[in-house]
Amino acid sequence: MRIGVFGGSFDPPHNGHLAICILACEILGLDRLLVSVSRNPFKSPSDAPDDHRLLMAGLLVTEINRSSPVATLDARELEQPGPSYTVDMLRRLRLEYPADELFLIVGEDSYRDMPDWMESSMIPQFCTVVVFARRDCGATGGGVRSHELIPARFVDFDIPVSATGVRDLLAKKEPVAHLLPRAIAGYIEANGLYR
Ligand code: ATP
């Protein structure tokens, strides 16, 4: 089996996340995609509580499955006490799926930060890292390839949307419908999030 792992704080999930997941399923030929909701250690009061992030990530999974019915929600990072590290999740998945191919799917900004992650040099032992370009994250062309600690596959990608941008627009009561799956925009509205 070919298994993808896509982690994020999903605060909220947006069309960038949706497009990455759909594209990853297609180009990597995934049989499963785990959408893992992470803790946000830098949480501010304007961010959504964990239970809302989890439910919104569930709506993202439903949207992905309309196109590629392989996605499942993984809440284990949120459920375990204490900090959660990507390397621990990959170690656990490697034990669960000893004979399968694992792909860690990240955006360019995450990949750039990866050398600072806990035990990041171990990550390539557990999976293939797949990096989606992110032109709105301040990286200069090709800059993403500048660290050689963690080899990766690169996917050209250009959907300039971020959760921070969505939250900012919502706080200003500006339209966001073009940036989010409809069900997630409806959920945010119904629950009065990010106001
Ligand atoms: P924030 O603005 O709060 O930092 P975000 O938009 O980066 O949020 P996350 O949930 O932190 O959303 O992202 C999960 C993963 O998706 C990360 O690896 C991130 O780099 C990647 N990602 C999110 N949006 C994009 C995008 N538009 N293009 C490429 N990668 C993206």
Side-chain angles (χ1 to χ4, degrees):
M1 259 203 318
R2 295 165 71 85
I3 303 171
V5 184
F6 183 58
S9 43
F10 302 115
D11 195 13
H14 52 65
N15 284 340
H17 298 135
L18 180 60
I20 288 171
C21 290
I22 291 173
L23 204 53
C25 290
E26 293 299 324
I27 62 184
L28 300 173
L30 298 181
D31 303 296
R32 275 196 76 181
L33 173 66
L34 306 179
V35 174
S36 177
V37 183
S38 55
R39 270 177 206 288
N40 182 0
F42 310 108
K43 205 173 213 5
S44 86
S46 60
D47 298 341
D50 290 352
D51 51 345
H52 282 304
R53 293 193 296 117
L54 198 57
L55 281 162
M56 289 191 287
L59 295 173
L60 174 70
V61 163
T62 304
E63 291 302 319
I64 300 163
N65 285 337
R66 283 182 205 280
S67 158
S68 300
V70 297
T72 52
L73 186 64
D74 192 320
R76 285 181 285 188
E77 280 192 88
L78 277 185
E79 285 162 1
Q80 71 178 38
S84 65
Y85 299 109
T86 300
V87 70
D88 292 333
M89 174 174 53
L90 292 169
R91 207 175 257 128
R92 191 187 68 219
L93 289 170
R94 193 26 87 219
L95 288 173
E96 265 174 54
Y97 302 101
D100 297 294
E101 262 190 276
L102 292 179
F103 298 87
L104 177 67
I105 298 156
V106 294
E108 184 173 347
D109 54 318
S110 300
Y111 179 68
R112 226 178 17 183
D113 295 341
M114 211 179 262
D116 299 328
W117 292 6
M118 178 68 80
E119 291 183 72
S120 58
S121 61
M122 298 290 289
I123 288 176
Q125 294 186 19
F126 299 122
C127 65
T128 300
V129 177
V130 181
V131 181
F132 280 71
R134 189 166 194 180
R135 297 209 166 79
D136 63 345
C137 73
T140 49
V144 69
R145 290 169 177 78
S146 64
H147 71 72
E148 279 156 22
L149 183 62
I150 302 154
R153 270 179 75 172
F154 297 89
V155 179
D156 200 12
F157 188 75
D158 189 10
I159 306 251
V161 46
S162 71
T164 306
V166 171
R167 290 194 301 274
D168 289 348
L169 288 172
L170 285 162
K172 291 188 280 183
K173 300 195 171 14
E174 289 182 23
V176 292
H178 56 302
L179 302 173
L180 305 172
R182 187 177 303 184
I184 294 174
Y187 184 95
I188 291 170
E189 170 79 27
N191 290 279
L193 301 178
Y194 310 113
R195 285 189 181 153

